[in-house]
């Protein structure tokens, strides 16, 4: 039956057997660097899981490359994957394949290669070592080079260098091996170096180095390609013919999809004899449906819902593909969608869900959002590379939970727990009796007139006014040693606040000598304290404060308080007082003297003097008395907003005691211990399940990896417990140490005392003897272990506490037997039997664990709390009961409480539950902290959500997508979701977030997202050419423009395509339009601020280079956000201030996000991934240059201009630098598409013909075609001009334009201050479609009368165009007032003035404000300067500088100095015909240039065939 249908269709069509080559567009993107081997990329992938794994993998693949020769590429690739499989789970293997398809680690490998080439490598060396700057290719020389290495400076090591895990020593030489892992040469070096590193004689670092890389580039993926439909209102296409390329795309790729109801793939299989006719039928169907006739408005209205309905109507496994097809080919699918019916229940359900989403997460109809495990993935900033990183991070946590036996819903619950560290600003509890409070705002009479109500906080006041409310909102506690010089100023400051009635409650803690018998006449601190107490007792505390101040006033600057000053003060002020009774040894005013010092010691805060604001310690920098006043006022303002929020939310109510409220916040701790509170934390990984859990076999144990060792310990650990009512312990602490030493015993004793007082904690003990474990040095530990195994918990704990006391160990040392120390209530026989038969093997195992996993030396101590490692402790360092209390509190508060609550719901036995809490806590808190996870769910999901279930019993990702199928987000997201579901196991929900009542076509482009889930191979087992964006079945009538949409930090450029990629018209093409792009640069972006002013240093220049070539790229800092960007590529770069004024006036002080220490002079930045790299640099003027200005009028030094001239196309004689600079005529222009490039060449020729001054052209490189870039050097030669291609990536923070034409307009005006070197004073912009008839030197020398730029106003003389002059009415008429509206086809810019008044920053600021509205700035490059005319003045140029027929009458043409081919809104005449008609010389110029291009082509022609063959070769990896 089917056969008849097909045959009938073919007959009806009456087809001739003509097979035309399929038409289409193909775009690809190559890396600029050579292909990197898969093996090295794999090692980098594995290295992300830790250094230990990296080196194990390296050992496993020692000589793997020998297989490369005999095997096919595919089987070698499979071998690498198999080897990696020993270290990775199945999920990680899938992620590895995905990362290899993305070439995600290629930049890391190439960065090493780049660092090697900077060494530089010795000649003809497959691998070499570098020892403190000296190189050798032979391992025989290592010894010799090591001898004198210490005398040479150590090499610089980067954060992600691979250092062999030998003995940690810092005073030994560093050897860097540059080699390719897997090769024989690597193995021979590796053997020698790894042995020496294990002995501790050197530090061994490995960097990848491929001696002879294949001269092949890789095809990259992870970007989008758009074919946008252009408006053809004005015909702007070049009529020059182009030779068709020979690229053929395989149309069969698309045969497997349903096309208009036919499955052509199946039909071709079942009817091979109808092959040709089927191709024709498909083509006919395609052409009949590809009509792009515009839809009526009423047909548009419901398209979004219709697309959603169509997607949800197919089987769910095909739905994503259909969504991709509809969104990515929408212009040709639109008509078929208009026939889809939309069910009412679907509409209703979508609206209900939309209401819910807008209320809960702020997502509105038409928005596109993606969530993975609740993490929000913003598709504007994220790309496949960052998503791969997120998938890996999530895999670690999800697999961990999975391995711990947590499945399904429980996993989601635990993942969503907010286990964030409490922020860095921990506060100390200030409700302490030893604080001497000077005032109390709530009770002191001096404040009684103030209101007490909390609502006062919410009353509006002027900004900066501190509200006077009678509550102790703001508390300042100062810890002072009265004798310290710094105390003087601080006390005076406190008095100042007090006098001025600032609502600040002030308290002092005096830290003075604590000896019992002490004389105030000999110790000034004690004397001071007693005197104060006397005044406070006799009068009051505020009087005491005044006395302190007057006492300190007697102390000269630079001196400290002396006993004499105190006695004299006492005599003078209180003549009746008995000095001996007050200051002497038997003083009556000595009460609580020790309390202050004790509180200070217990609280663990830093060095004196120290202040706490609401309990939070101020940093030492903030303690400078000059700064402190401002800082405290700032703190008061900042915390006011926190209190306002608390009052508003009802957390702080009238009845609350404010101080209690502050001290009950999560960040308040009983003491400060930096070791416990630091945010740099290390955790154990409990997620492994070892094959055996035997710790008696030490040899076996030593072969386990860290995770397995940890799992064995966790399994065999015994505990002292003090359970909660539910039998569970939320906090598990392990104490490691040598218990034959006093320090070890003390530590364990403190821990046991803590357990006793704190339910819900349990303690495990690990022995780490100082020597090799034997019966003698493990006596105590074996006794502890024997009591664990034989006694009840309580008895064991009491016995061990007794054992740990010093008298017990003295008795044991004096020969007392262990059995004599046993206590009542113990089972003594069982204990003795166990104690006498315990082997020490398991203690050896514990020592290995301490050494390998905890990184302790024998005898060192550490504490592990729910997997978090604290230690090793210094020999003298104490860890007290208070510290255990703090540690427990921090552990509970940040995570353990919440985890325990969830684990409890799982209904397990208490012991297992406690183990699980510990393991989950370590896993979740070790995971890097991202943003909060959202819980996104839908009210109903039967008619509006596409749902795919995950495979059972595997780790899965919970992916929620909210998307309108007809948006740019859907174009990208549909491809991403398809690949995601191939790479990992997903539970997917896609909600159709459709918009109603569309009034215009929602999408005007075709789109492809280039992304593959695995490396693709061809049938003959070689690697396929790589990922390419293919557009087949495109309609032939519309005019298309190709856009590459790449990750933020990529700079790409077209490198090969004979076609005009700006104007693709398939009707005129045979075959495929192939466009090859190259990733030319990865951007290094940054923000720079002047530390002393806090402002960006405008005009500051940076240079970027390598050590062999320090000046490769340069840039200028913008005032907006202090932003700068530099072009770079993978490798290690050095960032410096540019020689000249920048370096003379400024110096770099600190930097963040870089790869060198923050205070290093040379800023080293390593680019080793496809991610954005953003750094922060802080600079400061040199002391002697404080008053100088970078942009001052003084002449730029000659040297600066020369260095610019030498980077540019033209290197001239350098002596006449200054003179030459004035003589050059700088012309800037932008063009895109072959027609405008043809106009551009003619414009250049017309400029050169009319001037004798040397000319330098500056072109925006971003949009020039490959053919223009190839021919411009030859043209420059023929007409002897200079040129330079400039490029700048649109900054991510500046509102992005999506339409190519508007982007180009933006480049004309928005970046004038940063596109050109500072040495260029004036630049003239000339539109590409202009013909110059005068010497532009006149325009350059024209006086702009102080304006930064000059434009020509629009002509008024052609009367019949009056109706089209939009600037004469409405907004423009009122905005401009009596000023003119200027045309942007020609303007001259005084760059010095432009930079000086920050015109660029003002223009960008205004653009940012206006461009959010899609209807404003319709002619961006022209409307913006005209709109800013009041802020940035425009000098109106004389009318004859720009004549254009549309607006100017014919009589004025005679005087015209330039003629512009403006579009004519009345006649819509095509540009080419207008040019030939209006400007007679245009045709001559055109022919002259055609002649030149012909010559260039003829000279290059013979070289082409061999070139072509070379490119078609596909090499292997």
């Amino acid at each position: 039956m089917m056969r008849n249908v097909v045959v009938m269709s073919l007959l009806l069509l009456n087809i001739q057997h003509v097979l035309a080559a399929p038409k289409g567009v193909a775009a690809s993107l190559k890396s600029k660097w050579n292909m990197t081997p898969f093996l090295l990329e794999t090692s980098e992938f594995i290295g992300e899981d830790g250094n230990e794994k990296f080196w194990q993998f390296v050992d496993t693949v020692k000589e793997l490359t020998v297989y490369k020769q005999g095997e096919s590429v595919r089987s070698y690739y499979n071998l690498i994957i198999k080897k990696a499989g020993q270290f990775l789970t199945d999920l990680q293997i899938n992620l590895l394949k995905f990362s290899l398809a993305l070439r995600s680690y290629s930049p890391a490998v190439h960065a090493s290669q780049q660092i090697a080439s900077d060494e530089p490598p010795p000649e003809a060396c497959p691998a070499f070592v570098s020892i403190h700057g000296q190189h050798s290719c032979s391992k025989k020389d290592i010894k010799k080079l090591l001898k004198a290495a210490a005398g040479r400076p150590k090499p610089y090591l980067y954060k992600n260098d691979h250092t062999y895990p030998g003995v940690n020593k810092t005073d030994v030489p560093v050897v860097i091996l540059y080699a390719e892992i897997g090769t024989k040469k690597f193995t021979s070096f590796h053997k020698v170096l790894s042995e020496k590193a294990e002995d501790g004689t050197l530090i061994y670092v490995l960097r990848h180095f491929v001696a002879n890389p294949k001269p092949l580039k890789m095809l990259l993926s992870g970007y989008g390609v758009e074919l946008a439909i252009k408006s053809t209102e004005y015909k702007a296409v070049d009529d020059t013919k182009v030779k068709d390329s020979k690229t053929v795309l395989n149309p069969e790729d698309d045969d497997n999809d349903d096309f208009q109801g036919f499955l052509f793939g199946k039909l071709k299989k079942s009817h091979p004899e109808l092959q040709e006719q089927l191709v024709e039928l498909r083509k006919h169907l395609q052409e009949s449906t590809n009509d792009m006739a515009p839809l009526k408005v009423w047909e548009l209205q419901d398209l979004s819902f219709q697309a959603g309905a169509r997607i949800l109507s197919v089987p769910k496994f095909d739905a994503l593909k259909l969504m991709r097809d509809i969104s990515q080919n929408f212009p040709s699918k639109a008509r078929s969608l208009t026939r889809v019916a939309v069910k009412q229940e679907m509409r209703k359900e979508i609206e209900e869900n939309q209401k819910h989403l807008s209320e809960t997460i702020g997502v509105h109809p038409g928005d596109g959002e993606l969530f993975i495990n609740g993490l929000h993935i913003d598709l504007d900033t994220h790309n496949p590379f960052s998503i791969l990183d997120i998938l890996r991070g999530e895999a670690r946590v999800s697999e961990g939970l999975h391995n711990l036996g947590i499945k399904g819903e429980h996993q989601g619950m635990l993942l969503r727990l907010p286990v964030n560290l409490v922020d860095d600003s921990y506060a100390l509890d200030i409700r302490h009796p030893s604080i001497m409070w000077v005032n109390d705002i709530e009770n002191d009479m001096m404040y009684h007139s103030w209101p007490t109500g909390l609502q006062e906080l919410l009353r509006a006041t002027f900004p900066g006014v501190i509200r006077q409310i009678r509550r102790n909102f703001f508390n300042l506690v100062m810890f002072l040693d009265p004798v310290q010089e710094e105390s003087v100023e601080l006390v005076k400051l406190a008095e100042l606040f007090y006098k001025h009635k600032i609502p600040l409650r002030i308290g002092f803690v005096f830290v003075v000598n604590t000896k019992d018998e002490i004389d105030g006449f000999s110790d000034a601190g004690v004397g001071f304290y007693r005197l104060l107490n006397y005044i406070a007792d006799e009068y009051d505390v505020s009087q005491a404060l005044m006395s302190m101040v007057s006492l300190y006033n007697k102390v000269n600057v630079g001196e400290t308080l002396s006993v004499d000053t105190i006695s004299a003060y006492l005599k003078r002020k209180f003549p009746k007082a008995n000095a001996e009774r007050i200051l002497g040894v038997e003083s009556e005013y000595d009460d609580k003297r020790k309390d202050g010092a004790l509180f200070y010691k217990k609280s663990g805060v830093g060095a004196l003097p120290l202040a706490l604001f609401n309990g939070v310690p101020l940093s030492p920098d903030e303690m400078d008395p000059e700064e402190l006043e401002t800082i405290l006022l700032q703190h008061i303002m900042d915390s006011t907003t926190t209190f306002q929020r608390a009052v508003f939310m009802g957390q702080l109510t009238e009845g609350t005691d404010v101080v209690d409220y502050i001290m009950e916040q999560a960040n308040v701790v009983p003491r400060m211990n930096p070791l416990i509170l630091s945010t740099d934390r290390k955790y154990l990984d409990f997620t492994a399940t070892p094959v055996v859990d035997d710790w008696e076999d030490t040899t076996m144990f030593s072969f386990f990896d860290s995770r397995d060792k940890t799992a064995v310990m966790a399994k065999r650990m015994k505990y002292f417990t003090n359970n909660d009512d539910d039998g569970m312990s939320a906090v598990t602490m392990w104490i490691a140490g040598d218990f034959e030493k006093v320090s070890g015993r003390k530590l364990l004793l403190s821990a046991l005392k803590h357990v006793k007082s704190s339910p819900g904690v349990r303690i495990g003990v690990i022995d780490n003897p100082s020597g090799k474990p034997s019966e003698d040095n493990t006596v105590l530990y074996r006794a502890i272990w024997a009591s664990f195994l034989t006694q009840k918990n309580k008895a064991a704990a009491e016995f061990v506490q007794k054992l740990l006391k010093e008298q017990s160990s003295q008795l044991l040392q004096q020969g007392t037997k262990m059995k004599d120390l046993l206590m009542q209530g113990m089972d003594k026989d069982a204990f003795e039997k166990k104690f006498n038969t315990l082997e020490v093997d398991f203690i050896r195992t514990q020592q290995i664990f301490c050494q390998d996993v905890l990184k302790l030396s024998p005898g060192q101590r550490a504490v592990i709390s729910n997997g978090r490692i604290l230690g090793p402790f210094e020999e003298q360092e104490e860890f007290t009961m208070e510290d255990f209390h703090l540690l427990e509190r921090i552990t509970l508060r940040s995570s353990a409480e919440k985890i325990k609550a969830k684990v409890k719901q799982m209904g397990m036995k208490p012991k297992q539950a406690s183990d699980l809490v510990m393991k989950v806590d370590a896993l979740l808190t070790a995971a890097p902290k991202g943003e909060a996870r959202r819980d996104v769910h839908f009210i109903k999901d039967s008619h509006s959500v596409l749902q795919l279930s995950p495979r059972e019993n595997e780790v899965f990702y919970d992916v929620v997508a909210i998307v309108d199928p007809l948006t740019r987000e859907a174009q990208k997201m549909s491809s991403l979701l398809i690949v995601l579901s191939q790479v990992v196991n997903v539970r997917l929900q896609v909600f159709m977030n459709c918009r109603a009542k569309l009034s215009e076509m929602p999408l005007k482009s075709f789109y492809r997202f280039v992304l593959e889930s695995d490396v693709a191979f061809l049938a003959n087992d070689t690697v396929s050419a790589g990922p390419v964006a293919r557009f087949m079945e495109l309609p032939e009538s519309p005019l298309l423009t190709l856009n590459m949409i790449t990750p933020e930090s990529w700079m790409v450029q077209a490198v090969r395509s004979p076609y005009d990629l700006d104007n693709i018209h398939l009707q005129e093409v045979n075959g495929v339009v192939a466009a090859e792009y190259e990733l030319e640069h990865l951007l290094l972006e940054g923000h720079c601020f002047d530390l002393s002013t806090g402002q960006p240093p405008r005009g500051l220049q940076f240079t970027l280079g390598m050590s062999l070539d320090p000046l490769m790229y340069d840039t200028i800092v913008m005032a907006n956000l202090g932003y700068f960007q530099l072009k770079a590529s993978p490798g290690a770069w050095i960032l410096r201030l540019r020689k000249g004024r920048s370096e003379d006036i400024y110096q770099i002080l600190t930097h963040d996000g870089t790869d060198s220490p923050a205070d290093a002079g040379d800023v080293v930045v390593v680019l080793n991934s496809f991610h954005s790299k953003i750094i922060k640099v802080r600079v400061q003027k040199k002391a002697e240059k404080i008053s100088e200005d970078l942009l001052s009028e003084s002449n730029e030094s000659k040297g600066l201009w020369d260095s610019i001239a030498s980077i540019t196309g033209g290197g001239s004689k350098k002596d006449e630098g200054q003179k030459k600079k004035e003589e050059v005529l700088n012309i800037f222009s932008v063009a895109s598409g072959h027609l405008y490039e043809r106009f551009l060449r003619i414009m250049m020729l017309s400029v050169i013909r009319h001037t004798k001054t040397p000319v330098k052209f500056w072109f925006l490189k971003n949009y020039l075609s490959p053919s223009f870039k190839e021919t411009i050097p030859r043209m420059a030669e023929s007409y002897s001009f200079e040129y330079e291609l400039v490029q700048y990536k649109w900054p991510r923070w500046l509102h992005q334009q999506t339409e190519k034409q508007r982007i180009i307009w933006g480049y004309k005006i928005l970046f004038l201050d940063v596109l050109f070197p500072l040495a260029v004073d004036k630049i003239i912009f000339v539109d590409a479609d202009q013909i110059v008839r005068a010497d532009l030197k006149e325009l350059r020398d024209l006086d702009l009368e102080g304006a930064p730029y000059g434009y020509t106003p629009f002509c008024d003389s052609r009367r019949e165009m009056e109706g089209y002059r939009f600037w004469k009415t409405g907004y423009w008429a009122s905005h401009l007032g009596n000023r003119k509206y200027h045309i942007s086809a020609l303007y001259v810019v005084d760059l010095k003035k432009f930079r000086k008044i920050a015109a660029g920053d003002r223009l960008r600021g205004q653009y940012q404000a206006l461009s959010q509205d899609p209807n404003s700035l319709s002619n961006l490059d022209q409307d913006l300067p005209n709109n800013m005319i009041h802020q940035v003045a425009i000098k109106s140029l004389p009318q004859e500088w720009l004549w254009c027929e549309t607006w100017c009458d014919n009589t004025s043409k005679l005087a015209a100095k330039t003629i512009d081919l403006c579009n004519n809104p009345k006649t819509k005449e095509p540009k080419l015909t207008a040019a030939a008609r209006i400007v007679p010389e245009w045709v001559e110029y055109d022919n002259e240039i055609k002649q030149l291009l012909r010559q260039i082509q003829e000279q290059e022609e013979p070289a082409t065939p061999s070139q072509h063959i070379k490119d078609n070769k596909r090499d292997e990896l």
Side-chain angles (χ1 to χ4, degrees), residues 227 237 301 609 651 707 727 732 756 1019 1136 1169 1408 1431 1488 1502:
L227 285 178
V237 182
Q301 280 193 0
Q651 296 155 348
R707 292 174 58 230
T732 300
K756 209 168 181 178
R1136 296 195 173 103
S1169 77
Q1408 187 73 347
Q1431 292 87 351
E1488 185 177 330

Side-chain angles (χ1 to χ4, degrees), residues 862-1101:
V863 172
I864 292 115
S865 168
N866 277 8
R868 179 187 162 197
I869 307 169
L870 290 96
F873 298 146
E874 300 297 324
E875 196 47 49
Q876 304 312 320
E877 194 172 344
E878 288 207 346
F879 201 83
T880 60
M881 257 188 86
E882 285 86 7
D883 288 316
F884 279 110
H885 178 59
L886 171 63
L887 182 57
E888 180 200 347
R889 188 157 164 189
I890 291 287
T891 310
L892 273 173
R893 212 176 248 184
S894 61
S895 49
E897 277 176 333
K898 304 169 196 143
I899 293 168
K900 179 184 163 188
K902 295 279 180 250
V903 169
K904 223 166 149 175
Q905 297 168 10
M906 297 179 195
M908 306 163 80
K909 291 194 183 110
K911 163 91 170 72
Q912 275 93 335
S914 300
D915 279 353
L916 190 60
V917 173
M918 163 179 86
K919 293 173 179 178
V920 171
D921 192 357
L923 175 69
L924 294 185
T925 40
K929 295 296 152 282
E931 53 197 91
R933 295 174 190 268
R934 314 263 183 88
D935 186 13
V936 184
H937 60 272
F938 307 106
I939 292 180
K940 295 184 180 160
D941 54 15
S942 35
H943 303 292
S944 61
V945 181
L946 161 67
Q947 304 199 38
L948 297 176
S949 311
R951 296 186 293 279
E952 292 289 318
N953 296 325
E954 280 182 42
V955 176
F956 69 87
Y957 289 80
D958 199 348
V959 180
V960 179
I962 298 172
V963 66
D964 172 346
L966 303 186
T967 50
R968 289 174 77 93
E969 285 83 8
Q971 292 180 325
K972 184 173 176 179
M973 211 187 285
S974 53
S975 291
L976 194 61
L977 292 174
I978 289 171
V979 171
L980 209 58
S981 60
Q982 289 163 351
V983 174
V984 294
N985 184 22
V986 292
R987 180 174 93 188
L988 179 66
Q989 293 171 286
V990 185
F991 169 63
M992 297 297 152
N993 192 18
C994 305
R995 280 166 304 168
K997 304 198 169 57
L998 298 176
S999 55
E1000 56 175 2
M1001 282 287 265
L1003 286 170
K1004 302 185 180 75
S1005 65
F1006 297 90
Y1007 182 92
R1008 297 289 179 269
F1009 193 62
V1010 182
L1011 191 62
E1012 296 184 351
S1013 57
D1014 193 355
V1015 180
F1017 293 93
L1018 301 174
N1020 61 358
D1021 284 355
T1022 55
V1023 177
S1024 77
V1028 173
R1030 292 188 179 80
F1031 294 86
M1032 302 304 289
E1033 302 184 345
L1034 287 170
E1036 295 190 8
S1037 52
L1039 188 63
L1040 305 168
T1041 174
L1042 190 143
N1043 252 330
M1044 297 289 279
I1045 300 168
T1046 58
E1048 280 292 357
S1049 56
W1050 291 17
M1051 265 186 149
V1052 303
Q1053 61 157 340
V1055 286
R1056 189 177 299 138
S1057 177
Y1059 296 98
D1060 180 355
L1061 300 178
D1062 207 37
N1063 298 288
I1064 300 171
H1065 201 197
L1066 289 179
Q1067 271 170 357
E1068 294 165 12
V1069 176
N1070 296 322
V1072 172
V1073 175
E1076 289 182 26
Y1077 284 80
E1078 186 173 77
L1079 173 57
E1080 195 185 4
H1081 296 293
L1082 291 172
L1083 277 195
L1084 167 63
E1085 296 171 276
H1087 300 279
C1088 174
F1089 290 93
D1090 180 339
L1091 255 188
S1092 32
T1093 62
Q1095 295 301 311
R1098 279 193 302 126
L1100 188 72
Q1101 289 182 296

Side-chain angles (χ1 to χ4, degrees), residues 205-250:
V205 175
L206 170 66
R207 288 180 185 157
H208 303 296
F209 167 65
V210 182
N212 304 308
K214 296 256 158 46
L216 255 190
K217 306 279 193 268
M218 297 168 297
L219 283 178
L220 301 175
S221 51
Y223 59 93
V225 182
E226 174 188 63
L227 285 178
I229 297 169
K230 284 183 84 164
S231 148
T232 47
E233 188 179 2
Y234 298 98
K235 187 166 188 290
V237 182
D238 192 11
D239 55 6
T240 316
K241 285 281 169 277
V242 175
K243 279 194 193 160
D244 283 324
S245 76
K246 303 289 177 286
T247 315
V248 175
L249 276 188
N250 182 5

Side-chain angles (χ1 to χ4, degrees), residues 769-804:
S770 303
K772 191 171 182 240
S774 65
E775 300 240 333
D776 301 338
N777 64 4
T778 58
V779 178
L780 232 84
Y781 187 70
R782 283 181 298 120
I784 294 172
W785 201 251
S787 59
F788 264 142
L789 295 173
T790 59
Q791 310 300 317
K792 289 202 169 63
N793 187 33
K794 198 164 179 224
E798 282 176 4
F799 169 60
V800 172
Q801 277 195 18
K802 176 182 169 184
L803 260 187
L804 291 169

